[in-house]
């Protein structure tokens, strides 16, 4: 038996309250912190990665909680209310510092370095399929990172020119994404770039130079198209 229903009215534009960015931080249970500390003390980094891999792709609430515990054990520091999606890959998590209420979407890869720096601030939202060259990377508080967006923090020198480029030395340059900045879907941030606070990087943009605060940039290469302030 079918029930006829009135069609829902279609509106072209809706404005609804923010969910992630306005959420209050809920403290994680004490046992999670204690268990993470125990794992860090009793397991080598390689053992922690192997343990994490057992639960990397599972989507149940229990497995998600275990991922958070092991993630905290692997990293240098992790705040409260971390959300870790399935399929996330990390290299050198021992160099990574995460603040409170960080969300990391499914299939994200964070590529650190044994002597590198990676700091992700409070209330940072990272969409799925993101890639981070996190050898020298800072994401300040309230950064929004669109699905598929990428940051490259290093490049090969290409010298001497008769050597394959991939075999030449690696030049690592710091990348900083400022407070409250928003990085669009599939955008790419190149080595040495500083994206200013409260700025917007358009979808698919390739950012090769610093972005001023409150600027909106788009295109390949990205150019300022307007200022928010």
């Amino acid at each position: 038996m079918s029930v006829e229903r009135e069609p829902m009215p279609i509106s072209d534009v809706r404005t609804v309250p923010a969910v992630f960015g306005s959420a209050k931080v809920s403290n994680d249970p004490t046992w999670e912190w204690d268990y993470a500390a125990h794992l860090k003390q009793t397991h080598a980094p390689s053992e922690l990665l192997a343990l994490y891999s057992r639960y990397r792709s599972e989507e149940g609430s229990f497995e998600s909680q275990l991922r958070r515990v092991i993630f905290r054990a692997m990293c240098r520091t992790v705040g409260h209310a971390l959300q870790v999606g399935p399929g996330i890959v990390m290299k050198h998590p021992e160099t990574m510092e995460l603040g409170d209420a960080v969300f990391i979407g499914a299939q994200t890869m964070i590529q650190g370095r044994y002597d590198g720096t990676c700091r992700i601030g409070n209330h940072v939202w990272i969409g799925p399929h993101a890639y981070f060259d996190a050898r020298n990377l800072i994401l300040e508080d309230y950064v929004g990172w669109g699905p598929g967006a990428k940051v490259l923090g290093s490049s090969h020198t290409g010298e001497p020119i008769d050597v394959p480029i991939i075999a030449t030395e690696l030049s690592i340059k710091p990348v900083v994404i400022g407070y409250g900045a928003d990085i669009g879907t599939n955008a790419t941030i190149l080595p040495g770039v500083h994206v200013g606070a409260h700025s917007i990087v358009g979808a698919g943009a390739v950012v090769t130079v610093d972005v001023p605060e409150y600027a909106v940039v788009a295109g390949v290469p990205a150019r300022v198209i307007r200022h928010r302030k």
Side-chain angles (χ1 to χ4, degrees):
M1 178 178 176
S2 63
V3 178
E4 293 186 1
R5 296 181 179 179
E6 290 291 329
M8 293 292 292
I10 298 175
S11 174
D12 292 334
V13 178
R14 288 197 304 159
T15 300
V16 299
V19 177
F20 176 83
S22 61
K24 293 183 179 179
V25 177
S26 298
N27 289 349
D28 298 328
T30 302
W31 74 263
E32 283 194 21
W33 290 81
D34 293 342
Y35 189 30
H38 170 73
L39 290 174
K40 183 173 286 191
Q41 292 172 359
T42 57
H43 291 68
S46 59
E47 294 173 324
L48 289 172
L49 278 171
L51 184 61
Y52 174 77
S53 69
R54 297 182 190 179
Y55 306 100
R56 174 183 288 135
S57 301
E58 303 298 326
E59 298 194 37
S61 58
F62 175 73
E63 290 81 5
S64 296
Q65 193 169 30
L66 280 179
R67 268 202 304 273
R68 182 167 65 195
V69 170
I70 301 169
F71 209 97
R72 177 173 284 122
M74 290 191 298
C75 293
R76 180 175 292 167
T77 58
V78 173
H80 288 283
L82 171 68
Q83 298 180 64
V84 184
I88 293 169
V89 176
M90 297 181 299
K91 303 295 183 184
H92 295 289
E94 71 277 5
T95 65
M96 299 174 189
E97 304 171 39
L98 283 70
D100 291 331
V102 172
F103 174 91
I104 306 177
Q107 307 299 326
T108 291
M109 181 170 183
I110 308 176
Q111 170 74 61
R113 179 181 159 90
Y114 69 93
D115 60 353
T117 297
C118 175
R119 295 204 297 272
I120 298 175
N122 302 315
H123 299 278
V124 171
W125 188 91
I126 297 170
H129 300 282
Y131 172 78
F132 296 92
D133 177 344
R135 295 172 173 92
N136 194 342
L137 174 67
I138 296 175
L139 304 184
E140 295 183 355
D141 296 350
Y142 287 96
V143 165
W145 195 271
K150 303 170 182 65
V151 58
L152 302 178
S154 60
S155 60
H156 291 276
T157 63
E159 296 176 350
I161 61 173
D162 58 344
V163 173
I165 293 172
I166 200 171
T168 62
E169 292 181 330
L170 198 65
S171 175
I172 299 171
K173 299 179 181 180
V175 173
V176 178
I177 310 299
Y179 180 96
D182 190 76
I183 310 301
T185 299
N186 290 326
T188 301
I189 313 297
L190 293 187
V193 166
H194 185 155
V195 175
H198 305 285
S199 59
I200 296 174
V201 174
V206 177
V207 185
T208 60
V209 297
D210 291 353
V211 176
E213 293 186 356
Y214 292 95
V216 179
V217 302
V220 181
R223 293 182 173 84
V224 176
I225 57 174
R226 66 181 179 90
H227 291 274
R228 302 179 62 213
K229 183 177 179 181

